[in-house]
Amino acid sequence: MFDMPTKTKEDRKANTKFRQNLIKEGYFMLQFSVYVRVCKGLKSANNYLERLELILPKKGHIRAMMITERQFDNMKLLLGKESETEKARKPQQLTLF
């Protein structure tokens, strides 16, 4: 999980580069500024944490957390109420010829 400044062009460039490096390292975006990677055991996870330290940006805050596959599987997705705009965008019926 990370929080990085994006006020200047240099900050935005560093943010983009960091996210691209995360993807190259096998991470995928769970939600904006939250990336996850599956590791085979604690030793592998620690190796990736060491590799993560090599690509840290100069500014910003990064937090790493290790959870088990079982804990990840038990994650719940909570969604808010659908807005009127979202309801209006849904097609009522679709016909294909």
Side-chain angles (χ1 to χ4, degrees):
M1 298 174 281
F2 61 93
D3 184 24
M4 294 178 48
T6 56
K7 291 182 181 178
T8 68
K9 186 175 181 178
E10 182 181 294
D11 289 342
R12 288 188 296 276
K13 192 173 183 177
N15 188 353
T16 300
K17 185 177 178 182
F18 179 66
R19 288 184 10 256
Q20 289 171 344
N21 282 328
L22 286 175
I23 292 166
K24 286 179 189 175
E25 287 291 327
Y27 291 83
F28 65 92
M29 186 171 63
L30 185 62
Q31 67 182 55
F32 195 70
S33 296
V34 178
Y35 283 70
V36 298
R37 186 182 199 302
V38 177
C39 298
K40 295 181 180 180
L42 188 58
K43 185 176 180 180
S44 175
N46 284 324
N47 286 337
Y48 275 99
L49 281 176
E50 289 174 12
R51 292 171 66 144
L52 188 60
E53 288 182 31
L54 299 174
I55 62 170
L56 291 176
K58 292 178 183 179
K59 297 179 183 177
H61 302 95
I62 290 93
R63 288 173 174 73
M65 178 173 44
M66 291 184 224
I67 62 172
T68 65
E69 185 176 358
R70 185 177 206 171
Q71 290 168 325
F72 186 83
D73 288 342
N74 286 328
M75 180 176 20
K76 304 292 183 217
L77 176 61
L78 306 174
L79 302 172
K81 186 176 178 181
E82 190 174 51
S83 71
E84 294 300 319
T85 305
E86 291 168 322
K87 288 179 187 177
R89 288 185 184 167
K90 288 185 179 179
Q92 298 299 321
Q93 184 175 1
L94 181 62
T95 305
L96 300 174
F97 295 99

